[in-house]
Amino acid sequence: MLVLASSSPQRRAMLERLGVAFLQRPSGVAELERGDPGAIALENALRKARAAVAPGANEAVLGCDTLVALRGVVYGKPADETAARETLRALSGATHEVLSGLALLIEGSPARTALARTAVTFRVLGEDLLDWYLARGEWRGRAGGYAIQGAGAALVRSVDGDYENVVGLPLATLLDLYPELLSG
């Protein structure tokens, strides 16, 4: 049985779309926010997976952490609308990187980890567009303060890489990490 160590409705929907049987067991661990973006994403994914392990259970526990980075600065989930506006202003007209760390823990096996990277270029965001987007509240709980699969698509000029990674679960990377996922 796969256990998803996340409460993310996007991740849940993506696994459901694949027809994968799984349980959600959010771990609620504190996330690192400073340091090398790739190392942070991987460490956060490992922490989430470890916190969701039920000792002795015959489970595969998947931890995932998605973050946005621009010129070495990590943009996590904004605390409030002011922080969301500041984040989106920083990303305006620039190409940022969306990184997702994946960690898979199966009892008796070494941890499997992987890192997905996708480049996302934003349009130049004027105040009217920012006001429009922020009024939707979609920024809440979103790395980088936007949801590309929703109204946040209006902020994006282009995506170079795995679109699913930007949504929050890089399926191609997950299947490379855990090819057995689709065989059961």
Side-chain angles (χ1 to χ4, degrees), residues 4-116:
L4 177 61
S6 171
S7 60
S8 166
Q10 292 77 28
R11 292 182 183 132
R12 181 183 69 236
M14 294 166 86
L15 289 173
E16 287 171 347
R17 203 171 66 221
L18 290 179
V20 172
F22 68 98
L23 301 171
Q24 274 187 284
R25 190 180 300 147
S27 58
V29 297
E31 297 180 9
L32 299 176
E33 296 178 354
R34 301 207 188 287
D36 173 74
I40 291 171
L42 284 170
E43 179 61 26
N44 285 340
L46 273 167
R47 287 178 178 205
K48 292 174 183 182
R50 286 180 183 136
V53 167
N58 185 20
E59 302 173 329
V61 180
L62 176 64
C64 184
D65 186 58
T66 301
L67 57 86
V68 168
L70 176 65
R71 294 185 281 280
V73 176
V74 173
Y75 293 92
K77 299 168 186 158
D80 55 30
E81 187 173 319
T82 299
R85 183 179 296 275
E86 290 171 9
T87 295
L88 294 172
R89 279 185 182 144
L91 301 176
S92 175
T95 299
H96 61 271
E97 197 169 37
V98 177
L99 300 98
S100 288
L102 299 177
L104 184 72
L105 302 179
I106 301 171
E107 192 167 337
S109 299
R112 300 180 196 178
T113 61
L115 182 66

Side-chain angles (χ1 to χ4, degrees), residues 115-137:
L115 182 66
R117 297 174 181 267
T118 303
V120 178
T121 302
F122 264 21
R123 301 171 53 221
V124 173
L125 310 179
E127 290 304 309
D128 288 345
L129 182 55
L130 285 172
D131 291 343
W132 172 85
Y133 185 69
L134 293 169
R136 275 143 186 75

